[in-house]
Amino acid sequence: MKPVSASSTCPKRFPSRVADGAGLLAVLAIALFARFHAITVPVIWYDEAYSILLAEGSPTSIWATTARDVHPPLYYALLHFWMLLFGNGVLSARSLSALADVGTLLLCMKLMSLVATRRAIWIAALLLALLPISVRYSQEVRMYTLLGFWLMGATVALVCWVRAADQKRYPVFYVLLMTAAFYTHYFAALGVLVHWLFWWLERKAQGTVPVRAWILANSAIVVLYLPWIPLLIRQLLRMDGLEWIPPLTWRTVLTFVWQLVVMEGSASDLWRMTPLVLIIVCAAAVLLKARNERPFSVLLVGYFFVPVLTVFLVSLIVPVFNARYLVFAATALPLIVALALDTWGQRHAALAAVALVFIVWAEVHGLSAVYAQTDEMNGTSIRKDARLDAVVAGLGREVRPGDEIIVDNLYWYLPFTYYNSTGIQPRLYVFKAPTGTLWGTAEYGGWALIPRHLHSIFFNDFSTLKLNARRVWWVTGYARPEHDALFPKHWKQAQTLREGDSEARLFILEDAPTPEVGAQTRPTQPPLH
């Protein structure tokens, strides 16, 4: 590692030579192609539908509704304005995440230009452009790549602040970027741990950023975050929305790096642990190489290991260990590997080149898993197999005026609402909890997206269901034979639309009254989105 001298000012421009300019264009082309290739193929699933439907509301409603979920509001607010400009189509909605991740790549290159050699910069750039976990969540309408953008931007601002403490703009940038990160996802706190560790080590080494300035900057972040803190406390007290995360196992931890890079395969657990061993070796090489530059080495190594280890320890109490929450930390993996290969390449250039080719091959293998939708991430199988978009499209061709639509489960209701163009407000089948109350009456999470005046669409008992329509469509994302026992005997199935695991079943109600000509059986509501 060869950092820029302390007398240098920041930011330092990227090298202006033709070769470097061409290299930058090539890296951007690779990164954009990797992130936009097949970006519209996966179906919008529950989490993405939640993001889009929420973002279609006003900023005020976004703030209030997100307070009843498990995340802060900034991503949804930005998505709101993004969709005002570019629409709510699959490509436009997902492109915000994709472009945020490309921005993170550029920020990583900037960070490397401040602390490493040019060779390390370009190795890191290539590996970042192909990093499978980044590509995977670049193609999802969620906040994980945006969090990575804010945190990497804050890290660059912090290093610039250390390099040029007399420049007042860098602490301002740091405060704003960290505040944005906290308003995007609560795991921004893990970035704070990394930054405090770096500042403490740097203060012991040189003391460029005084204690008073550092405390003042962090206090400013807290002050800017004060409007959300009461809502954060309310979310923490409710402790809902994390029950889907399985308890932590040693297998999950030891194969975590494999999950980020290779992503899938039938390899044994021993082989899957190899990437973790290799990244530990690379991290050790980075830390041992530059003893006099220890703060910067720790910053880059700690950017991955501190969040992962912290989440591991927390998960021993409350399970929160999940790859998508640590996408921002995974961006440090190419930086660590690039620094290690750069160090080894000074003595064993051929060996380092072979290692680089092997790593690129592993990433390409991981990308193939992303595009084939076999990457083992949360929601991937649903995005691949639950072809609810095709079913809703077929329903739009087959539905008639006066038809009723019933969607089984909120999990499918939100994606159905996103794709629904029939003009019919669907009903929602819910079930009773053991307490006897209807699931969803607490009005948080996805339930908060259903306005109160539409709560009459909920039902859980067919014997009390009053329908004037003769034709009823039952829509579900997973066809389940046990549903047959639910339907009343006078419901006669007449047609089935099926794509993948999703289906819409048409039932004719034999003894239902015929609607009057010209009369609507129910007030037709516009789609919720």
Side-chain angles (χ1 to χ4, degrees):
M1 184 181 299
K2 184 180 179 182
V4 179
S5 63
S7 60
S8 300
T9 59
C10 188
K12 177 184 176 181
R13 295 181 180 178
F14 285 122
S16 59
R17 293 188 236 175
V18 174
D20 288 336
L24 179 60
L25 290 177
V27 166
L28 286 176
I30 294 171
L32 288 169
F33 176 81
R35 283 149 184 79
F36 281 93
H37 176 66
I39 192 172
T40 61
V41 171
V43 176
I44 294 291
W45 69 301
Y46 175 85
D47 283 12
E48 293 182 288
Y50 178 89
S51 297
I52 295 172
L53 298 179
L54 174 58
E56 288 178 338
S58 66
T60 302
S61 69
I62 290 172
W63 180 280
T65 306
T66 312
R68 302 199 294 274
D69 190 40
V70 294
H71 294 302
L74 181 58
Y75 170 75
Y76 305 114
L78 292 179
L79 183 61
H80 168 83
F81 293 106
W82 184 267
M83 293 193 306
L84 285 180
L85 292 174
F86 304 108
N88 70 343
V90 177
L91 174 61
S92 57
R94 287 177 174 160
S95 63
L96 176 59
S97 297
L99 293 177
D101 197 58
V102 174
T104 301
L105 182 150
L106 294 175
L107 289 168
C108 287
M109 292 180 67
K110 180 59 188 176
L111 178 64
M112 291 292 283
S113 74
L114 297 171
V115 300
T117 66
R118 289 175 59 195
R119 179 168 58 183
I121 295 171
W122 293 113
I123 293 174
L126 175 62
L127 298 181
L128 279 164
L130 299 173
L131 185 62
I133 190 66
S134 293
V135 173
R136 167 62 176 83
Y137 284 100
S138 293
Q139 298 188 340
E140 189 161 302
V141 193
R142 296 298 283 167
M143 69 289 293
Y144 307 113
T145 59
L146 183 63
L147 173 66
F149 177 78
W150 299 133
L151 286 178
M152 185 54 65
T155 303
V156 172
L158 177 57
V159 174
C160 288
W161 187 7
V162 169
R163 296 295 192 190
D166 58 322
Q167 298 290 327
K168 303 301 181 184
R169 63 181 182 274
Y170 297 123
V172 174
F173 291 158
Y174 180 77
V175 168
L176 294 178
L177 290 165
M178 282 305 303
T179 303
F182 272 106
Y183 272 106
T184 300
H185 198 280
Y186 298 131
F187 272 40
L190 301 173
V192 172
L193 296 179
V194 178
H195 294 163
W196 272 80
L197 177 61
F198 169 70
W199 171 79
W200 180 72
L201 291 173
E202 196 282 331
R203 179 173 176 269
K204 290 180 62 177
Q206 295 184 1
T208 306
V209 177
V211 175
R212 180 181 178 183
W214 180 244
I215 298 299
L216 181 62
N218 283 269
S219 299
I221 296 170
V222 173
V223 170
L224 291 174
Y225 201 59
L226 281 176
W228 186 254
I229 288 179
L231 302 176
L232 165 62
I233 295 173
R234 198 176 306 168
Q235 290 179 349
L236 291 175
L237 292 176
R238 192 175 68 237
M239 283 300 292
D240 179 77
L242 298 175
E243 63 279 353
W244 59 271
I245 302 178
L248 185 66
T249 65
W250 280 107
R251 183 181 186 274
T252 302
V253 176
L254 296 176
T255 63
F256 181 59
V257 179
W258 173 284
Q259 189 180 25
L260 301 177
V261 179
V262 187
M263 305 200 82
E264 63 91 29
S266 57
S268 65
D269 285 351
L270 183 62
W271 183 244
R272 284 171 174 252
M273 290 188 290
T274 304
L276 176 61
V277 175
L278 294 178
I279 196 62
I280 291 175
V281 171
C282 290
V286 171
L287 293 175
L288 294 174
K289 169 63 178 177
R291 295 181 182 275
N292 59 328
E293 300 154 5
R294 184 60 52 80
F296 299 99
S297 301
V298 171
L299 174 66
L300 296 179
V301 173
Y303 199 88
F304 175 74
F305 284 96
V306 169
V308 171
L309 291 175
T310 302
V311 174
F312 165 73
L313 294 175
V314 173
S315 294
L316 296 176
I317 305 171
V318 179
V320 292
F321 197 97
N322 189 270
R324 67 188 189 185
Y325 294 157
L326 293 165
V327 170
F328 75 92
T331 57
L333 292 175
L335 311 187
I336 296 170
V337 171
L339 290 171
L341 292 180
D342 181 50
T343 299
W344 296 332
Q346 295 174 9
R347 293 186 178 181
H348 308 285
L351 184 61
V354 171
L356 177 60
V357 171
F358 176 77
I359 295 169
V360 170
W361 174 83
E363 288 192 325
V364 171
H365 181 81
L367 288 178
S368 68
V370 172
Y371 301 139
Q373 300 186 73
T374 57
D375 53 55
E376 301 179 345
M377 296 291 110
N378 294 109
T380 293
S381 61
I382 297 169
R383 287 167 26 122
K384 178 184 179 182
D385 299 327
R387 301 296 306 177
L388 194 61
D389 59 336
V391 168
V392 177
L395 186 62
R397 294 187 294 268
E398 298 291 337
V399 75
R400 299 178 187 176
D403 284 4
E404 290 271 8
I405 298 175
I406 300 174
V407 180
D408 167 37
N409 200 307
L410 179 74
Y411 199 79
W412 309 116
Y413 187 88
L414 295 190
F416 180 91
T417 301
Y418 171 73
Y419 287 114
N420 184 20
S421 60
T422 65
I424 299 174
Q425 173 63 60
R427 290 176 178 262
L428 175 57
Y429 178 74
V430 297
F431 62 87
K432 280 188 178 181
T435 59
T437 58
L438 287 181
W439 181 53
T441 54
E443 295 188 8
Y444 53 76
W447 298 101
L449 293 181
I450 301 178
R452 286 182 175 272
H453 73 275
L454 293 181
H455 282 196
S456 60
I457 67 174
F458 297 169
F459 83 97
N460 77 302
D461 188 345
F462 282 83
S463 65
T464 63
L465 181 61
K466 298 184 182 300
L467 297 170
N468 292 321
R470 289 184 56 87
R471 292 161 44 98
V472 178
W473 293 90
W474 177 274
V475 180
T476 183
Y478 276 137
R480 290 179 285 188
E482 62 268 23
H483 282 165
D484 293 341
L486 296 175
F487 306 126
K489 292 182 178 180
H490 68 279
W491 285 35
K492 303 301 181 182
Q493 185 171 329
Q495 185 179 356
T496 300
L497 304 176
R498 182 179 290 114
E499 293 288 344
D501 289 337
S502 299
E503 68 175 21
R505 303 164 71 177
L506 173 63
F507 291 90
I508 305 298
L509 280 60
E510 292 184 335
D511 59 353
T514 302
E516 296 181 9
V517 177
Q520 288 186 330
T521 59
R522 287 169 50 82
T524 300
Q525 300 285 350
L528 293 184
H529 66 293

